[in-house]
Amino acid sequence: MANVSRPAAAFILTFTAAGVAGVVIGFCGERPAIEAPPPSVGDIEQTFQQTRALGDQIDVTRSRGATSALDGVALADLIDSYSAVRTQLQQDLAGDLDPPPSGEDARALKAMRD
């Protein structure tokens, strides 16, 4: 083993500790958010269908005067789910698709927005 003077050993130890600390702090710091790709027209259509289905379940449950759907899901939970899915749908419909849709996809988006 090579002889290293005390000042050199202290320097090496300090330098190594600082490097390790820098790496650890770097892993603990906030990372930039990774932006999700925009949804496809198919994804938006699926969210639209979920929104409609939940809205229909809410209407039917209310018309029965019940506090839960036939499958046992509480009306309050249906309303919470509907609100979350509807918010997602509104965000998806407000966004721009890249590339812009054409033909049937453009007509489908227009119908969902109207």
Side-chain angles (χ1 to χ4, degrees), residues 37-108:
S40 68
V41 174
D43 294 337
I44 296 172
E45 286 176 341
Q46 187 174 22
T47 304
F48 180 80
Q49 290 172 353
Q50 288 174 331
T51 304
R52 294 287 301 261
L54 285 165
D56 290 346
Q57 268 192 300
I58 291 167
D59 291 344
V60 169
T61 302
R62 283 180 173 160
S63 70
R64 289 182 20 250
T67 58
S68 62
L70 293 175
D71 61 1
V73 177
L75 179 59
D77 292 339
L78 286 173
I79 293 169
D80 289 345
S81 295
Y82 173 82
S83 294
V85 173
R86 183 162 163 49
T87 297
Q88 183 62 52
L89 177 64
Q90 289 171 328
Q91 290 172 354
D92 290 349
L93 289 173
D96 293 325
L97 298 180
D98 187 27
S102 60
E104 284 184 15
D105 287 345
R107 286 189 294 279

Side-chain angles (χ1 to χ4, degrees), residues 4-43:
V4 179
S5 68
R6 264 182 208 250
F11 174 77
I12 292 170
L13 183 60
T14 302
F15 183 76
T16 303
V20 170
V23 169
V24 170
I25 290 170
F27 282 119
C28 294
E30 288 188 35
R31 302 216 187 294
I34 297 173
E35 192 171 316
S40 68
V41 174
D43 294 337

